[in-house]
Amino acid sequence: MKIFQQSSEFDYSWEEVSTSNWRKYGPWNEKTPHVIAVDTISRKVDPATGILRTERLITCKQSAPKWVNSILGGEEQSLVYETSYVDPANKKVTMCAMNITYADLLSVRETCVYQPASSAPNAKTNFIQRAEITAFCGGWQKIKNSIEQFTVERFQQNAQKGKEGFEMVLEMSRKAFAEQREMLRIQQESKILQQAAI
Amino acid sequence: MSASLASECNEVKERYDNCFLKWYSEKFLRGTATSDECEPLFKQYEQCLSKALKARGIDSMLKEARDDNRENDAEHMRPKR
């Protein structure tokens, strides 16, 4: 088994991060073209805890090198199953993801947690990402090791791109919300002006 | 928002996603959500998507993934304190 782990901070409030998180793989993110589609398959607020539970299916373009494909089989797309839990009372987002494609040969399990940063709980958000990668493909330990090593390296590259792309989404999102507020303000002012004129 | 894996569902997915995002940021996070007003749109989207998942054999793979995910549910759906 190989483990990938990183933590970092976003200069955005938890509310902004948790909202933008839903559009992380949208058109504002130019860094993750390998993510082709994101589908929501179920969503429910648990009445007992107030936690929003969402299941999503993430479709990625496969771009493994030939030697990996020759071992795992050459699927064109790979699917990821993700369950997320948003606890608004405790301001915590937890996302758990696992691979569906090649699940008999390889297990990639990722957990991400977003929480307000203790240094500036209203302005910054702490992000923790951890993934465990285990290859099951029978035969030599050497092959398992190479597959795990390749996967953890690829995971690391994608995690970096994912973070950069998410920064883009956060920035665009803040702009869009500011514009929306400005529009509302202008509309309201013009109403006041109109009424004043009457 | 992102596309659907089934392009025929893109339109209804977009309507649902927009509805959800508005509900999430304006109601859910502020603790004022009383019901899920996007439910009717979700039902339409789900209907479209489930056909595609079945046709591609993804529904059975999903079932396995769900079974594997039970531990996460138990851990993260637990009431706090």
Side-chain angles (χ1 to χ4, degrees):
Chain A
M1 183 173 77
K2 295 247 181 326
I3 291 173
F4 168 79
Q5 204 163 352
Q6 70 164 0
S7 66
S8 56
E9 245 175 37
F10 289 104
D11 280 336
Y12 295 85
S13 68
W14 180 82
E15 284 77 6
E16 285 180 283
V17 170
S18 99
T19 302
S20 292
N21 186 36
W22 298 116
R23 30 161 63 127
K24 179 171 173 183
Y25 298 113
W28 289 342
N29 182 343
E30 293 166 10
K31 301 276 179 176
T32 55
H34 63 283
V35 178
I36 307 168
V38 179
D39 282 283
T40 302
I41 42 183
S42 85
R43 183 167 266 152
K44 210 175 170 170
V45 178
D46 178 46
T49 57
I51 293 173
L52 174 73
R53 180 184 185 274
T54 303
E55 287 180 303
R56 299 198 300 181
L57 188 62
I58 299 165
T59 311
C60 302
K61 199 173 7 182
Q62 192 68 264
S63 59
K66 270 191 188 145
W67 73 267
V68 174
N69 278 336
S70 69
I71 298 165
L72 295 181
E75 296 277 345
E76 271 178 34
Q77 294 183 347
S78 61
L79 296 169
V80 174
Y81 170 77
E82 175 203 82
T83 327
S84 62
Y85 311 88
V86 183
D87 184 342
N90 293 292
K91 294 197 178 182
K92 186 177 182 186
V93 175
T94 310
M95 314 190 82
C96 305
M98 64 170 95
N99 61 307
I100 290 185
T101 311
Y102 304 141
D104 297 340
L105 304 166
L106 182 69
S107 155
V108 182
R109 286 179 170 250
E110 178 198 31
T111 305
C112 293
V113 179
Y114 295 96
Q115 275 182 306
S118 47
S119 60
N122 295 318
K124 290 183 180 187
T125 303
N126 188 249
F127 169 63
I128 301 170
Q129 181 178 29
R130 182 189 159 90
E132 293 179 2
I133 293 153
T134 315
F136 313 119
C137 32
W140 296 325
Q141 190 58 37
K142 212 173 162 183
I143 295 179
K144 282 185 204 172
N145 275 342
S146 330
I147 292 277
E148 287 178 357
Q149 191 55 36
F150 165 77
T151 309
V152 79
E153 280 167 17
R154 180 58 64 90
F155 196 93
Q156 197 166 359
Q157 292 158 8
N158 284 343
Q160 184 52 35
K161 287 183 205 156
K163 204 178 160 281
E164 288 167 17
F166 194 30
E167 287 279 4
M168 297 171 87
V169 175
L170 284 163
E171 197 186 324
M172 289 296 287
S173 203
R174 185 175 273 184
K175 275 188 198 153
F177 273 116
E179 275 166 22
Q180 210 179 0
R181 272 198 302 273
E182 183 65 11
M183 286 279 284
L184 274 172
R185 193 183 63 79
I186 293 169
Q187 274 173 7
Q188 270 162 0
E189 276 185 4
S190 73
K191 263 185 215 155
I192 295 166
L193 285 177
Q194 275 167 15
Q195 278 165 358
I198 296 162
Chain B
M1 288 293 189
S2 338
S4 172
L5 71 92
S7 56
E8 66 273 22
C9 308
N10 274 340
E11 205 185 308
V12 62
K13 174 190 175 351
E14 198 183 330
R15 273 190 285 151
Y16 168 69
D17 279 345
N18 288 333
C19 179
F20 167 74
L21 208 63
K22 197 170 153 60
W23 173 84
Y24 182 84
S25 59
E26 293 176 10
K27 295 190 175 166
F28 179 73
L29 285 185
R30 294 179 189 173
T32 59
T34 47
S35 64
D36 184 2
E37 59 219 28
C38 306
E39 181 77 25
L41 281 173
F42 185 74
K43 285 264 181 284
Q44 288 180 35
Y45 167 41
E46 192 181 33
Q47 209 173 16
C48 180
L49 188 66
S50 66
K51 272 185 218 155
L53 295 182
K54 206 169 251 178
R56 297 174 197 200
I58 300 173
D59 53 342
S60 53
M61 291 197 267
L62 263 180
K63 206 187 154 293
E64 279 180 40
R66 274 186 176 135
D67 289 341
D68 280 351
N69 191 53
R70 292 246 165 86
E71 276 169 46
N72 285 328
D73 280 332
E75 188 181 340
H76 302 295
M77 294 297 286
R78 203 173 39 208
K80 294 261 156 42
R81 284 173 289 278

